[in-house]
Amino acid sequence: MNTYGFFLTNIWLILLIPLLSFIIVGLFIGPKNKKLAGIFATTSIFVCAALAYGATFEYLSLFPLGAEHPVIVPWSVQWMPYLENLTATLGIMVDPLSLLLMMIITTVSSMVHLYSIGYMHGDPGYSRFFTVLNLFTLSMLGLVVAPNILQMFVFWELVGASSFFLIGFYYTKASAVAASKKAFIVTRFADLGFLLGILILSYEAYHLFSLEAFAHLSSYNAFDFNFLNHPEVINALSTADGALLTFALVLLFIGAAGKSAMFPLHIWLPDAMEGPTPVSALIHAATMVVAGVYLVGRLFPLFGSSEVALNVVTYVGAFTCVFAAVIACTQNDIKRVLAFSTLSQLGYMMLSLGVASPLHKLGYLASNFHLMTHAFFKALLFLGAGSIIHAVHSNDIWQMGGLRKKLPVTHITFLMATIAIAGIPPFSGFYSKDEILAAALVNNPIVFIIGLFVAALTAFYMFRIYFLSFCGEAKSDGAKQAKESSISMLIPLIFLSVLSVVSGWFPFEKFFLSEALVHNTPSWLPIVASGSGLLGVLLAYLFYFKKTTYANSVKNGFGPLHTVIQNKFYIDAVYLFVVHKIIFRFIAAPIAWIDRHIVDATMDKTAYVTKESGLVLKKIQTGNIHTYTMMFLLGGLVLFLLLLGVGF
């Protein structure tokens, strides 16, 4: 008998409520009353947020900050029994990491739902939007509370399907349809790696149950995270076949890289901006793209057993971090700048996980810390961008300007988010970035330098947006006539702006660890970290605040290189060339020819022969009893001769 309170005992409601809301809004309320559909869908997510925070407080009442924080599964049902000790369960796992993600997802999603009531007002697909938004939230919650890797994979795929619906929300728009297909296909290729990794890992783990040494772990099964992350299991897997374990972990990371848009699987994320702006906020802040970071974090003890796997995580993350930041400096669409910013920040989280180890967990903590702070200020940036686009009717930052007085609330909140992501104290981004840089400095000085450089670039491209959008004179009629957004859009901006400040003060280390983490951060690091951000702000001020020619001079000085960067290094063009000129021509076309001229032709000929045979046989169906009698006697004679062995 457990001693859990109301929230932990009924934690299953956090999945049931959005599921019921998805069904009710989609099938019953939406077709009849669009306004009620938005209110009902939004209320359901606020209830989920209350459950998430209630469960967190209950958990902390049982296991206070700084105490031992065990992993508990307060609710679980058997789902698919394959074999003994190889059973998939549907359940909810509660530990600091899952609680953190539950709070982030429900908080941001509730703000996005509330914001969307005003932003999507008058849209023909209003109720459909809220229906799928509920499904998206359900999918991500099911993913982060999964007690086993199979449940995670199921909801992982459901997240992909939800993003497909939302990115292609404007299905009459060709670019939106193309973007949704691109996101779905790219992540499917990555998910193949994830699935293969699951099969290898669970196969190896299942065979441990036959060993007497693991009899005391029989309450688990091979899919459980508690089993896969158990020190004895990790040691046994590493000893049995370390190379195979590393291979499985790299395959799992391919799935994570696809979902979190790591290079070279990043190409879908900038195009995902074709969906409504609230969708961008939800995808980039608290749902789809952080799923990959969460996967590596959830299996971090296992990843920590393979130096090769951690190095892959480190260097893919570091390259993506600087690659995306450089591109962001040249983009003119406000949502695309924020999209490449997300890529860069996800790279930050990945490299932080990569430089960590089971003995030195600072990078692991810093990555999850930055995941939390980034969720709030990035959601605020996207929702703020939506408020700007709603007022100006343009995504082009060169068509804005002078919005500081016209959109006062949007201006202040957007500025707060910009300061936070730039890593300037006392805003939240400073604390989480500082932890990442501290972890990198101790374990990998090269990655530390990359992180410091990207911090300056981040401040530069974000204040480039700020100065061009809010300062100076209005550059278009839309900017001149801009008006502040409705109250339902402003409340989430104000709330998230507060979180963009105070989330950095959260006692993160005590929330995750039972003991104080010993790390000697040099006293100069916070100064250098914030100094790099201030340097980026200064450069953006010189280039874009005043009427100077510095920006154009630098652009012209880079010449063709600037064009290459602005066109995203032509990575998309390379993919198109490979797909259309190589795969389609030399692989797909021959397969199509074989399918058409051999497979289909064989079936067509078989059908033709059958048809003609039927026409011949039809002629003996005369209806004449004399004909049937003769055929009967003839058949009998043939049978008699066969039995005697005569002829034939």
Side-chain angles (χ1 to χ4, degrees):
M1 183 175 180
N2 65 59
T3 57
Y4 307 142
F6 171 82
F7 290 102
L8 288 177
T9 302
N10 298 284
I11 192 71
W12 49 271
L13 290 172
I14 206 166
L15 295 183
L16 181 63
I17 289 173
L19 174 62
L20 292 177
S21 179
F22 163 68
I23 296 171
I24 293 170
V25 172
L27 296 180
F28 302 105
I29 299 178
K32 298 177 181 179
N33 191 326
K34 291 185 177 181
K35 185 176 181 180
L36 179 60
I39 295 173
F40 189 90
T42 302
T43 302
S44 69
I45 304 304
F46 270 94
V47 173
C48 288
L51 290 172
Y53 280 89
T56 302
F57 288 127
E58 266 189 19
Y59 183 86
L60 291 178
S61 68
L62 295 173
F63 316 105
L65 288 174
E68 187 68 31
H69 293 150
V71 178
I72 61 174
V73 182
W75 177 78
S76 178
V77 295
Q78 191 178 80
W79 180 22
M80 289 188 289
Y82 297 108
L83 297 167
E84 186 181 3
N85 300 124
L86 192 64
T87 299
T89 57
L90 178 64
I92 294 179
M93 181 170 65
V94 176
D95 71 340
L97 185 57
S98 64
L99 288 170
L100 176 72
L101 267 294
M102 277 191 276
M103 290 190 293
I104 292 172
I105 292 166
T106 54
T107 300
V108 174
S109 183
S110 60
M111 292 298 104
V112 168
H113 274 73
L114 179 59
Y115 179 94
S116 300
I117 291 176
Y119 188 89
M120 299 299 292
H121 179 72
D123 193 289
Y126 185 86
S127 58
R128 173 167 57 90
F129 177 82
F130 279 97
T131 301
V132 184
L133 216 56
N134 270 186
L135 177 64
F136 204 166
T137 305
L138 164 68
S139 305
M140 195 62 197
L141 285 171
L143 189 157
V144 300
V145 302
N148 59 77
I149 199 167
L150 195 61
Q151 179 182 326
M152 174 183 274
F153 182 75
V154 171
F155 282 97
W156 184 281
E157 294 304 304
L158 198 54
V159 166
S162 304
S163 67
F164 173 79
F165 298 140
L166 289 172
I167 295 169
F169 180 78
Y170 299 118
Y171 56 85
T172 58
K173 187 179 177 184
S175 57
V177 173
S180 63
K181 290 192 293 186
K182 188 176 185 179
F184 193 77
I185 292 169
V186 171
T187 52
R188 292 295 71 69
F189 276 106
D191 291 350
L192 175 61
F194 187 14
L195 180 58
L196 291 174
I198 291 173
L199 294 175
I200 295 172
L201 196 59
S202 58
Y203 176 83
E204 291 296 308
Y206 174 72
H207 282 78
L208 294 180
F209 286 106
S210 62
L211 302 178
E212 186 177 344
F214 291 91
H216 61 293
L217 299 178
S218 59
S219 58
Y220 300 122
N221 72 70
F223 294 124
D224 286 352
F225 289 121
N226 283 343
F227 183 74
L228 294 174
N229 284 329
H230 197 283
E232 294 179 39
V233 174
I234 294 172
N235 183 62
L237 291 173
S238 302
T239 304
D241 195 338
L244 185 62
L245 176 60
T246 296
F247 181 59
L249 292 173
V250 171
L251 287 172
L252 292 175
F253 177 69
I254 290 173
K259 204 67 97 184
S260 290
M262 294 289 101
F263 181 89
L265 300 172
H266 67 284
I267 57 171
W268 67 268
L269 189 57
D271 290 353
M273 299 302 98
E274 292 292 342
T277 298
V279 172
S280 303
L282 199 55
I283 289 176
H284 285 254
T287 55
M288 186 171 181
V289 295
V290 301
V293 177
Y294 177 79
L295 170 61
V296 178
R298 173 54 71 196
L299 288 173
F300 179 74
L302 201 58
F303 271 88
S305 67
S306 172
E307 184 178 352
V308 173
L310 279 183
N311 283 336
V312 170
V313 174
T314 302
Y315 292 110
V316 170
F319 182 82
T320 303
C321 187
V322 67
F323 171 81
V326 169
I327 295 175
C329 295
T330 65
Q331 301 299 298
N332 297 321
D333 184 314
I334 187 170
K335 288 174 69 176
R336 286 191 180 272
V337 177
L338 295 178
F340 281 103
S341 170
T342 299
L343 286 174
S344 184
Q345 298 304 304
L346 290 168
Y348 248 115
M349 299 174 205
M350 283 295 191
L351 72 85
S352 184
L353 286 169
V355 298
S357 69
L359 296 178
H360 301 90
K361 294 184 178 179
L362 179 59
Y364 168 78
L365 292 178
S367 178
N368 290 312
F369 191 12
H370 196 58
L371 188 155
M372 178 184 72
T373 60
H374 175 265
F376 299 136
F377 58 66
K378 184 53 64 68
L380 177 54
L381 287 169
F382 269 107
L383 296 183
S387 181
I388 295 169
I389 295 167
H390 200 68
V392 178
H393 306 292
S394 174
N395 289 30
D396 191 344
I397 55 179
W398 295 97
Q399 297 296 314
M400 299 174 186
L403 298 177
R404 181 167 52 90
K405 295 181 180 179
K406 302 216 177 257
L407 310 176
V409 178
T410 301
H411 163 247
I412 292 296
T413 54
F414 194 91
L415 176 59
M416 293 174 72
T418 303
I419 295 173
I421 195 173
I424 297 172
F427 289 74
S428 60
F430 165 75
Y431 298 100
S432 55
K433 280 191 176 182
D434 188 61
E435 294 288 277
I436 291 175
L437 292 173
L441 178 62
V442 173
N443 295 288
N444 196 320
I446 296 176
V447 173
F448 167 75
I449 294 171
I450 291 173
L452 207 58
F453 175 61
V454 172
L457 288 179
T458 302
F460 173 78
Y461 64 66
M462 286 308 308
F463 272 90
R464 174 175 176 260
I465 293 178
Y466 173 75
F467 290 134
L468 289 175
S469 301
F470 292 100
C471 302
E473 301 296 326
K475 304 179 185 69
S476 66
D477 291 338
K480 292 176 183 177
Q481 299 169 9
K483 295 181 180 179
E484 187 61 277
S485 300
S486 63
I487 189 66
S488 66
M489 294 171 65
L490 295 180
I491 290 175
L493 296 183
I494 295 169
F495 181 75
L496 289 170
S497 67
V498 174
L499 291 180
S500 295
V501 179
V502 302
S503 60
W505 308 342
F506 183 70
F508 208 80
E509 187 175 307
K510 288 185 178 180
F511 186 66
F512 269 81
L513 298 178
S514 58
E515 299 178 359
L517 187 65
V518 179
H519 56 94
N520 298 316
T521 303
S523 57
W524 52 264
L525 181 57
I527 299 173
V528 172
S530 56
S532 64
L534 291 172
L535 177 61
V537 176
L538 177 62
L539 289 174
Y541 176 83
L542 293 174
F543 283 9
Y544 301 106
F545 182 74
K546 294 185 176 181
K547 296 180 180 180
T548 66
T549 59
Y550 291 154
N552 286 331
S553 297
V554 172
K555 177 181 175 181
N556 295 332
F558 279 102
L561 180 59
H562 180 274
T563 304
V564 171
I565 296 173
Q566 193 171 38
N567 286 281
K568 299 167 282 187
F569 292 93
Y570 295 102
I571 301 294
D572 287 75
V574 172
Y575 270 101
L576 286 174
F577 175 82
V578 171
V579 171
H580 286 276
K581 301 298 184 182
I582 298 177
I583 296 177
F584 283 2
R585 178 178 297 180
F586 297 108
I587 300 177
I591 291 175
W593 187 91
I594 293 171
D595 183 59
R596 189 178 302 112
H597 293 91
I598 297 178
V599 178
D600 284 354
T602 302
M603 294 299 103
D604 291 342
K605 285 296 183 182
T606 303
Y608 175 78
V609 171
T610 303
K611 175 185 174 185
E612 293 300 317
S613 301
L615 292 174
V616 173
L617 292 173
K618 183 175 72 172
K619 293 178 180 179
I620 68 174
Q621 298 293 324
T622 62
N624 190 317
I625 192 169
H626 299 294
T627 303
Y628 294 159
T629 302
M630 183 183 69
M631 296 298 296
F632 173 75
L633 293 173
L634 181 61
L637 178 61
V638 171
L639 181 61
F640 178 73
L641 293 175
L642 285 172
L643 291 173
L644 292 176
V646 178
F648 303 96

